Amino acid sequence: ITMPGGQQPQKHYGITSAISLAPPREIDHQYTNKLCDAMKPFGVFEDEEELNHRLAVLGKLNNFVKEWIAEISELKNLPPSAISCVGGKIFTFGSYRLGVHTKGADIDALCVAPRHVERSDFFQSFFEKFKQHEEIKDLRAVEDAFVPVIKFKFDGIEIDLLFARLALQSIPDNLDLRGDSILRNLDIRCIRSLNGCRVTDEILYLVPNKENFRLTLRAIKLWAKRRGIYSNMLGFLGGVSWAMLVARTCQLYPNAVAATLVHKFFLVFSKWEWPNPVLLKQPEDSNLNLPVWDPRVNPSDRYHLMPIITPAYPQQNSTYNVSTSTRTIMSEEFKYGLSVTDEILQGKAEWSKLFEPPNFFQKYKHYIVLTASASTEENHLEWIGLVESKIRVLVGNLERNEYITLAHVNPQSFPGSKENRNENDFVSMWFIGIIFKKVENAESVNIDLTYDIQSFTDTVYRQANNINMLKDGMKIEATHVKKKQLHQYLPPELVVSPPKQVFVEGSPAPSAAAAAPDQGMSIPVIGSSESFFP
């Protein structure tokens, strides 16, 4: 079809038409250049040398995989004519594949093998062959994970490598994983392992301009990290969810450049009516009978608070960890981001203002300090991994408490202070800001958080016990403290009150807090788990 004036009709992206097709103005390009400059100090752009180093390492890994598949094919008595073309391939996914990885970031990769190579071969013979390689360090396998993985450092670059065995005799170099038919007759672990690549490829396919998408996503990821809302594990959003929100914004403004797109991102999502799902394309069913996100069919999907649906079959909600508190916090941040980008595009502020961190330790009157300690560094790393993955349980307990309006976990953990630990212990601390409801007759109410905290610590100990992780010296405790006691736990520069004027425009206080400045102060709160060691 040719439109009047000889133009081609624009390809239509997304499940609705665009909001605006306006092309960028000269000033939009200028603001975009300034945005790039503001991001540079944060190490989000990699230099040519590091980029080439990654490409070289991935090339070596790809050759290594082909070599291994040929060897194992020989062991399995394939005819020489077949061995010469069995192939094998490394695919990347995640931030590296999207082209938005930062300096020193790890690479998510997938090893794709033909049908005669088993998963057990990958975790045994590949693992053993890899061990001999002089450039490989810190090699470890996590075979029983939901998505099984081999982790290692290859010539200084951290890589997480998944495995998928396809129902094909050989794996050609030009294999495309986007078609749904390759999922037929596969083991569920292979389907899960392929999912990351298929989702990443689909996202790139569904945005109108990859360069504009990449720059906008870099800005939004940096903003989310700086504002303390980048963590899938803790109930905020992880990388793939931020990528899908940015991709949806790009579909709605297909010709806009990054400076405009960052502003429109905040405009769209500060007004989004959750739990309406964010979809990049109309979900299709592939008749492969895999479970997909569909609130009409699955009652549990109806409770998701902030659904963002992956575009590749089988469609999943990437944000099922989001809770009422984390959604409230993110919604406030979208609104604040909109007000800051409004100022920037009116020339009243610089881009650096968007990346200023919030003052978490000024924001609340009450906090819960969660402390995890262990007696050796190795035990400590293992222990904090488990504890962090369970913090959502504590936040959920607190949210269900009738006296609590909001429980805000800060994703950043802090080392234990000298005063609060034995000399030889390794300690990490997390902080959860709490807003208590306004209570009519506060004098007669005692809020007891002991039960919420106790049931959380019990859960963590029980799980650690179940997987035989619990070692002597592994401890977890949670204590309620008021803002004025934070100096006992944190370095002074984090808890010092900033100059007064910051509060005029400062970071968004949840509206409940703004409405009730003295709230919760007169209610005595008990709550600590020090006395509850198993």
Side-chain angles (χ1 to χ4, degrees):
I1 322 162
T2 309
M3 318 243 303
Q7 292 168 300
Q8 292 297 308
Q10 183 134 13
K11 180 180 164 189
H12 172 64
Y13 291 90
I15 59 165
T16 63
S17 52
I19 292 174
S20 165
L21 297 172
R25 304 160 301 171
E26 179 51 38
I27 189 153
D28 300 324
H29 289 295
Q30 289 167 16
Y31 277 125
T32 299
N33 292 337
K34 285 184 177 169
L35 172 60
C36 282
D37 292 342
M39 282 157 56
K40 279 178 186 150
F42 295 100
V44 295
F45 301 108
E46 204 174 40
D47 58 37
E48 201 68 22
E49 195 183 346
E50 198 178 344
L51 213 80
N52 291 335
H53 181 213
R54 283 179 190 271
L55 287 170
V57 163
L58 285 167
K60 286 184 198 169
L61 183 59
N62 200 43
N63 291 337
F64 190 89
V65 161
K66 286 185 165 167
E67 197 180 295
W68 166 68
I69 290 175
E71 284 170 15
I72 204 136
S73 305
E74 202 171 338
L75 283 174
K76 297 191 181 212
N77 298 323
L78 262 74
S81 58
I83 294 173
S84 61
C85 58
V86 282
K89 189 173 176 192
I90 289 287
F91 289 86
T92 59
F93 60 101
S95 67
Y96 177 79
R97 172 74 180 93
L98 285 172
V100 297
H101 59 289
T102 51
K103 282 183 182 166
D106 62 353
I107 297 181
D108 294 303
L110 167 72
C111 168
V112 174
R115 63 189 183 194
H116 59 276
V117 181
E118 310 274 343
R119 180 169 285 279
S120 56
D121 296 327
F122 179 69
F123 281 97
Q124 285 155 24
S125 93
F126 178 79
F127 188 84
E128 288 308 317
K129 178 178 165 71
F130 219 33
K131 227 189 239 172
Q132 314 307 318
H133 196 298
E134 71 280 0
E135 289 180 291
I136 300 297
K137 304 261 181 302
D138 303 340
L139 180 65
R140 56 209 184 282
V142 193
E143 197 171 351
D144 51 0
F146 185 71
V147 182
V149 60
I150 291 179
K151 294 169 170 278
F152 53 90
K153 260 192 182 150
F154 193 140
D155 193 12
I157 291 176
E158 287 189 44
I159 298 181
D160 286 1
L161 186 61
L162 312 182
F163 175 82
R165 161 199 189 202
L166 300 187
L168 302 171
Q169 283 175 322
S170 66
I171 303 298
D173 281 344
N174 62 353
L175 179 69
D176 184 354
L177 300 176
R178 278 187 53 237
D180 295 344
S181 57
I182 61 157
L183 299 179
R184 230 175 269 286
N185 308 322
L186 295 196
D187 164 23
I188 186 66
R189 290 165 303 182
C190 290
I191 291 174
R192 283 183 196 139
S193 299
L194 284 161
N195 189 49
C197 286
R198 288 168 48 81
V199 167
T200 309
D201 286 357
E202 203 59 50
I203 290 171
L204 284 172
Y205 179 74
L206 291 166
V207 295
N209 178 309
K210 294 185 182 58
E211 277 317 301
N212 293 341
F213 164 73
R214 287 189 177 116
L215 192 50
T216 309
L217 180 53
R218 282 184 186 278
I220 294 302
K221 283 178 69 159
L222 175 60
W223 163 80
K225 285 175 183 167
R226 298 286 294 168
R227 301 299 297 177
I229 53 174
Y230 190 103
S231 171
N232 174 50
M233 187 189 281
L234 292 176
F236 296 105
L237 305 189
V240 77
S241 301
W242 292 116
M244 290 189 284
L245 293 187
V246 170
R248 187 71 189 107
T249 310
C250 291
Q251 292 179 335
L252 294 169
Y253 300 90
N255 300 319
V257 287
T260 312
L261 287 165
V262 169
H263 180 235
K264 298 301 188 188
F265 170 91
F266 292 121
L267 182 66
V268 169
F269 293 108
S270 61
K271 304 204 178 345
W272 195 269
E273 294 183 356
W274 305 106
N276 284 326
V278 174
L279 295 160
L280 295 179
K281 61 183 257 194
Q282 212 47 61
E284 312 146 3
D285 193 26
S286 289
N287 300 327
L288 296 174
N289 293 328
L290 295 169
V292 297
W293 185 84
D294 189 344
R296 297 165 307 183
V297 178
N298 315 318
S300 65
D301 291 347
R302 293 168 206 167
Y303 297 100
H304 293 176
L305 300 176
M306 203 172 168
I308 301 173
I309 309 307
T310 57
Y313 179 83
Q315 297 81 14
Q316 307 289 323
N317 173 21
S318 64
T319 65
Y320 51 86
N321 288 344
V322 168
S323 71
T324 51
S325 289
T326 55
R327 184 175 77 177
T328 299
I329 293 153
M330 289 188 281
S331 297
E332 295 287 343
E333 287 291 353
F334 290 143
K335 291 186 186 116
Y336 182 60
L338 179 61
S339 72
V340 173
T341 49
D342 275 340
E343 283 180 32
I344 293 166
L345 298 185
Q346 289 162 17
K348 295 180 185 168
E350 296 298 326
W351 281 110
S352 56
K353 181 170 180 179
L354 186 65
F355 305 124
E356 283 170 10
N359 203 328
F360 180 81
F361 296 108
Q362 296 302 320
K363 203 165 169 179
Y364 301 102
K365 293 201 162 59
H366 296 265
Y367 293 85
I368 283 174
V369 186
L370 177 61
T371 310
S373 49
S375 47
T376 72
E377 189 169 11
E378 196 179 344
N379 286 356
H380 181 242
L381 283 173
E382 200 177 7
W383 186 227
I384 59 173
L386 177 70
V387 171
E388 187 172 30
S389 72
K390 295 286 167 233
I391 291 177
R392 287 198 327 274
V393 174
L394 176 56
V395 170
N397 292 350
L398 296 167
E399 286 176 337
R400 284 188 290 275
N401 186 307
E402 58 174 325
Y403 296 110
I404 291 178
T405 310
L406 185 97
H408 178 178
V409 57
N410 183 346
Q412 190 184 357
S413 65
F414 295 85
S417 59
K418 293 283 177 280
E419 302 86 87
N420 287 318
R421 64 174 189 201
N422 307 334
E423 276 315 288
N424 51 356
D425 272 5
F426 293 84
V427 182
S428 292
M429 299 183 298
W430 290 266
F431 292 82
I432 302 173
I434 303 285
I435 297 180
F436 288 106
K437 282 203 174 81
K438 268 303 241 184
V439 192
E440 287 303 306
N441 46 353
E443 295 71 53
S444 60
V445 179
N446 255 345
I447 296 177
D448 188 355
L449 300 180
T450 311
Y451 175 76
D452 297 335
I453 290 170
Q454 169 82 48
S455 79
F456 162 70
T457 52
D458 287 351
T459 301
V460 178
Y461 284 125
R462 188 169 59 245
Q463 172 115 14
N465 218 1
N466 288 348
I467 58 177
N468 290 325
M469 185 199 282
L470 207 49
K471 315 248 178 8
D472 262 357
M474 286 184 173
K475 287 195 310 203
I476 173 174
E477 47 194 305
T479 316
H480 165 262
V481 300
K482 293 192 173 165
K483 178 164 47 174
K484 59 176 180 283
Q485 299 165 287
L486 286 173
H487 66 88
Q488 299 166 20
Y489 299 87
L490 288 163
E493 62 274 14
L494 283 171
V495 289
V496 170
S497 288
K500 273 288 175 272
Q501 78 269 16
V502 172
F503 290 115
V504 181
E505 51 189 18
S507 71
S511 38
D518 60 344
Q519 62 177 356
M521 284 314 277
S522 50
I523 312 169
V525 181
I526 322 160
S528 150
S529 65
E530 279 97 329
S531 47
F532 305 132
F533 286 126

